[in-house]
Amino acid sequence: MTRTLSAEIARFPLSTPFRISRGVKTVAEVVEVEVAQDGAVGRGEGMPYARYGESLDGALAEIAAVRDAIAAGAGRDDVLTLMRPGAARNAVDCALWDLEATLSGKSVSALIGDPPVGAVATAMTVGLDTPEAMGAAAAAYADYPLVKIKVDRNDPLAQIRAVRAAAPRPRIIVDPNESWTIAEVRDLQSALIDLRIDLLEQPLPSEDDGALAGFTSAIPIAADESAHVAGDIDALADRYQVVNIKLDKTGGLTAALTLADAAVARGLGLMTGCMVSSSLSIAPAMIVAARSGFVDLDGPLWLANDRPGGVRAERGMMRPPSPGFWGGLSA
């Protein structure tokens, strides 16, 4: 067996700026990994996130550190101990899954014993802006199944009301990106019910979410920044009702599946999320999405140009990529 690993940075300009409470993104910068063996190539992608102390150069260094081990035949289980959870491990893990699917002639879904991946309803994100601008953006999604609203502490009710008025039908996720306090979570409960909000995502900073312990929310609350790997679940089970699984946090599909099993075992619901990234990040996440009650995989839809053959979305329904794109998945 001759195996090689390579990694490079890829940049994808966004069609419009993506605004959340922490800042504005105009380009998605990702790390792409390829693992080649016996004429087959597996690909994976990770999006290093500064919120978690990651950088592009740091991710490339982490990947370079395991190049010899991968060349010597290290597999996905080995990578779990050789690399820390994060974007770099995600790219390597997903490349190994893709390679295994290609060499075996089976899809990744078949390899893990799941049904073929089909279309899923994905949230369409309304970025943080003035209430008027957010309402105008939401009007385009008025008959879509699911909308996600990015808010902050600057009159979030006005932002949410503007979106709900423009889109009265969809389920709605509200995401403050850690910008609220526990007092605001309490005070906004009745308004969130009146506005028919289905999920509140990570309202408090992760270091402050102990304030949620024992709090009974009328709206299910999802852990995002607080939940990375399966080992986090025990500490979160009395604070949250849903876990947002992102492969860039777990460090790949392998760990994401373990996290999903751990969350379900503790009675928590599942959400699948993503960073703003290309379809190479989204294809493996669709496997977890098939198990989830909430799906937020519209990252590639923010790009001016996605990778050819990637996932496709129509009126809020996301379909798997074209045959041969990743992992043997196809529409």
Side-chain angles (χ1 to χ4, degrees), residues 16 25 44 60 70 92 116 147 158 166 173 183 197 258 262 266 283 303 308 310:
T16 56
K25 179 185 287 290
L60 289 176
I70 297 297
V92 174
V147 169
I173 302 168
I197 303 307
T258 302
R266 291 301 303 268
L303 306 183

Side-chain angles (χ1 to χ4, degrees), residues 46-137:
M47 208 291 286
Y49 197 29
R51 168 68 179 81
Y52 305 135
E54 297 178 314
S55 68
L56 292 167
D57 289 342
L60 289 176
E62 290 182 57
I63 294 165
V66 299
R67 181 174 285 114
D68 289 346
I70 297 297
R76 291 180 285 101
D77 290 342
D78 302 305
V79 169
L80 289 176
T81 58
L82 290 171
M83 303 180 74
R84 69 185 179 105
R89 193 174 80 182
N90 179 27
V92 174
D93 178 79
C94 289
L96 289 171
W97 273 111
D98 189 27
L99 179 66
E100 183 177 348
T102 301
L103 291 173
S104 68
K106 299 179 180 180
S107 70
V108 172
S109 296
L111 289 172
I112 64 176
D114 280 8
V117 169
V120 295
T122 183
M124 303 299 292
T125 302
V126 175
L128 180 62
D129 209 321
T130 63
E132 293 76 16
M134 292 174 71

Side-chain angles (χ1 to χ4, degrees), residues 4 105 144 150 219 224 226 229 244 248-249 256 285 303 306 311 313 328:
T4 61
Y144 283 39
K150 294 288 189 177
I219 305 297
D224 180 5
S226 291
V229 295
N244 186 356
D248 278 316
K249 293 188 302 177
L303 306 183
D306 191 10
V311 298

